[in-house]
Amino acid sequence: MSHKLRNLTTLSLFALLTGCAAPYTQVNQEAQDVHVRFDSGFDADQCQWLGDVTGTEGHWYSYLFFTNDAMVQGAINDVKNRAKKLGATTVYVIAPQDFTTSFTVVGNAYKCG
């Protein structure tokens, strides 16, 4: 393998791997204001429950190309987008699930305030 071809291959592989450091699922502009809560201090008494929401990132065929951080952020972005479609302002996460090939967030969507 020539020196130029080896450098081009290495550069292409590096670009492919670093390009996947960001999550595939991006948060929609209108969903950026949805709050995601993991803490037990969340009080839903002043909120209206709108339904269950699930967010996920990663697949059996793509997980090797994503960092754990990117998969977690993608799942959070997905749950925020789904919550906003319900009209929610807050998601209380009840079950984060870390699988080998993906990350999933399950929560309750609320309209608060």
Side-chain angles (χ1 to χ4, degrees), residues 13-26 57 62-75 77:
L13 182 60
F14 180 74
L16 176 68
L17 292 177
T18 57
C20 297
Y24 175 77
T25 305
Q26 298 298 311
E57 182 82 7
S62 66
Y63 77 97
L64 291 171
F65 302 108
F66 290 97
T67 63
N68 288 337
D69 291 345
M71 286 201 299
V72 170
Q73 187 60 57
N77 291 346

Side-chain angles (χ1 to χ4, degrees), residues 37-94:
R37 303 284 303 261
F38 290 87
D39 60 288
S40 60
F42 174 67
D43 182 9
D45 287 344
Q46 303 298 317
C47 303
Q48 176 188 3
W49 182 77
L50 300 175
D52 299 318
V53 287
T54 303
T56 190
E57 182 82 7
H59 303 283
W60 65 269
Y61 53 84
S62 66
Y63 77 97
L64 291 171
F65 302 108
F66 290 97
T67 63
N68 288 337
D69 291 345
M71 286 201 299
V72 170
Q73 187 60 57
I76 297 295
N77 291 346
D78 192 26
V79 83
K80 288 174 95 171
N81 291 339
R82 292 173 188 265
K84 190 61 174 186
K85 286 180 183 177
L86 294 176
T89 59
T90 303
V91 174
Y92 180 66
V93 175
I94 55 173

